[in-house]
Amino acid sequence: MTATALLSELTVRAKVTAHARTTTCVCGTSTLADRPDATVVRHADTVAKAHAPSTPLAELAPRLATATRLPGILLPPLAPTPAALHDRLVTFWPYGTPVDPENPDAAPWEAAAALLARLHRTPAAPDLPAMRGPAKAALAVDRLRAAPPHPATRPVLAAWASLPAWARAEAPMPDTRTLCHGDLHLGQLVRHPAPDGPWLLIDVDDLGTGVPAWDLARPAAWYACGLLPPDEWTRFLDAYRAAGGPAVPPDGDPWPALDVPARAVTVQTAARALTKALAADREPDEIEQSLIDACARMGSAPPELTGTFAK
C-alpha cells in the first residue's frame, strides 16, 4: 500500500480506537512520525503505530507481552496483540507526554537511568528475541556503504571493522539473558498518565535480551564525543548505579564495560549522519563531523581500553 493510504487508514484506526475508549473524546489528530520503518498517529489520548513492513509477528508479540507485564517500567499497549493493516502490524498505545526537546535542563536523566536499571534486573521471558541494537547499527553501516563515496566514509568503516563481531551483529552477544531496551534515548520516555504522570519507557521494537551496556551506550557516546555535558553524563551514570543497574560495576571506572557499545553506537550515529548528508548533497555539519572525527580517533587504539576514543 502507498504511504498516503497507510497514513489515512492508520488515522481512521486511531480515531476509532480512541472513541471506543471514551464517550467524551477531545478530538484531534496529528502525525507523530511517518518514516519507512514506522508510521505513528495520535488521536486524542490514543496512539496508533504501524511497524516496519518486515516486522515478524513472532518477535513483536513477546515484546508486547513484556510491555504488558511491566507497566511500571514500560508503557503498556492497549491490546496485547497487534492488529493487521495490509502488510503492516499495528499496535495501539495510550498517549504520554514526551520529553521537551526545547528544555534540555529538564531532561529526565535520573528517571531514564532508574528505569533502565529496573528493566535490566527483570528476568526476560524465554521466548523474547535478542535486542536489536547491533543489528540496527549494522543496517546503518550497510546504508553508508551503499551511499555515494566520500572521504569521511573511510574512518567510519574502519572504526566499524575494529569492533568485535557481536557488536557488528555477526555473532551472538556475550550476554543472552539480560532484558534490554535496545534503543535508549530521551525520545523513548513519556509521562503517563499525561501530562505529569511518572516517566515510562516506550518503543518495544528493539526490546530483547543482550548486553545491558548497549542501553547506556548512546549517552556514553555523546559524552565521549563532547556532545553531552559531563554533569549530565554523571547524573545518568550515578542514578543507574544507585538503582542497582548491572551493566557497569557499582563503582570505579565504567568504561571497560561501556567502551565497545559506545564505539558501536558512535559508528552507527556517524553512519546515519553521513548517509543523510550525502543524500542531501552537502558536507557534514559541525555535529556530524564531530562523530566522524570520533570514529577516526577510534582507529588509534583498540576497543575495550578505558576511555580511549573519548575524552
Side-chain angles (χ1 to χ4, degrees):
M1 74 189 302
T2 66
T4 301
L6 172 65
L7 182 59
S8 177
E9 291 196 35
L10 190 65
T11 300
V12 172
R13 295 280 188 101
K15 182 176 181 180
V16 169
T17 303
H19 287 189
R21 298 179 63 206
T22 179
T23 58
T24 57
C25 178
V26 182
C27 287
T29 302
S30 58
T31 301
L32 305 182
D34 189 11
R35 309 185 306 270
D37 65 328
T39 300
V40 185
V41 173
R42 173 192 176 190
H43 184 88
D45 64 351
T46 298
V47 174
K49 178 176 182 176
H51 298 259
S54 59
T55 301
L57 176 60
E59 294 187 2
L60 182 58
R63 287 172 169 141
L64 290 172
T66 297
T68 300
R69 73 179 177 89
L70 299 177
I73 301 174
L74 295 158
L75 182 71
L78 295 177
T81 57
L85 181 58
H86 297 276
D87 63 339
R88 310 291 283 270
L89 295 176
V90 175
T91 53
F92 299 93
W93 308 82
Y95 176 76
T97 305
V99 175
D100 183 0
E102 303 301 321
N103 187 12
D105 291 339
W109 289 114
E110 290 86 355
L115 288 168
L116 277 185
R118 290 176 61 194
L119 185 73
H120 294 164
R121 298 197 320 265
T122 300
D127 60 344
L128 198 63
M131 68 94 167
R132 296 182 62 243
K136 290 183 71 173
L139 179 60
V141 171
D142 287 344
R143 288 172 175 165
L144 178 60
R145 289 192 178 110
H150 189 278
T153 300
R154 184 173 182 178
V156 176
L157 296 183
W160 179 251
S162 73
L163 295 170
W166 72 263
R168 292 182 279 120
E170 295 176 2
M173 283 177 273
D175 185 334
T176 59
R177 301 181 65 181
T178 302
L179 179 57
C180 303
H181 182 274
D183 187 30
L184 190 280
H185 53 81
L186 290 179
Q188 305 286 35
L189 287 98
V190 297
R191 286 188 179 276
H192 179 74
D196 54 5
W199 289 106
L200 296 171
L201 296 170
I202 63 170
D203 191 356
V204 300
D205 289 80
D206 303 312
L207 189 77
T209 56
V211 176
W214 198 280
D215 284 344
L216 282 68
R218 190 166 305 197
W222 288 346
Y223 164 63
C225 295
L227 301 176
L228 182 68
D231 63 322
E232 294 188 30
W233 164 246
T234 300
R235 285 169 49 200
F236 176 76
L237 180 63
D238 288 351
Y240 181 81
R241 283 173 153 167
V248 294
D251 51 39
D253 187 0
W255 281 97
L258 294 174
D259 189 59
V260 167
R263 286 171 180 255
V265 169
T266 300
V267 174
Q268 176 186 5
T269 310
R272 284 177 172 173
L274 183 54
T275 301
K276 182 179 178 180
L278 294 174
D281 195 25
R282 62 171 176 80
E283 289 299 307
D285 62 26
E286 183 177 356
I287 292 178
E288 292 165 344
Q289 189 60 51
S290 70
L291 295 165
I292 295 166
D293 291 344
C295 291
R297 292 196 298 274
M298 290 182 205
S300 65
E304 301 182 13
L305 296 179
T306 302
T308 48
F309 81 93
K311 308 179 280 285

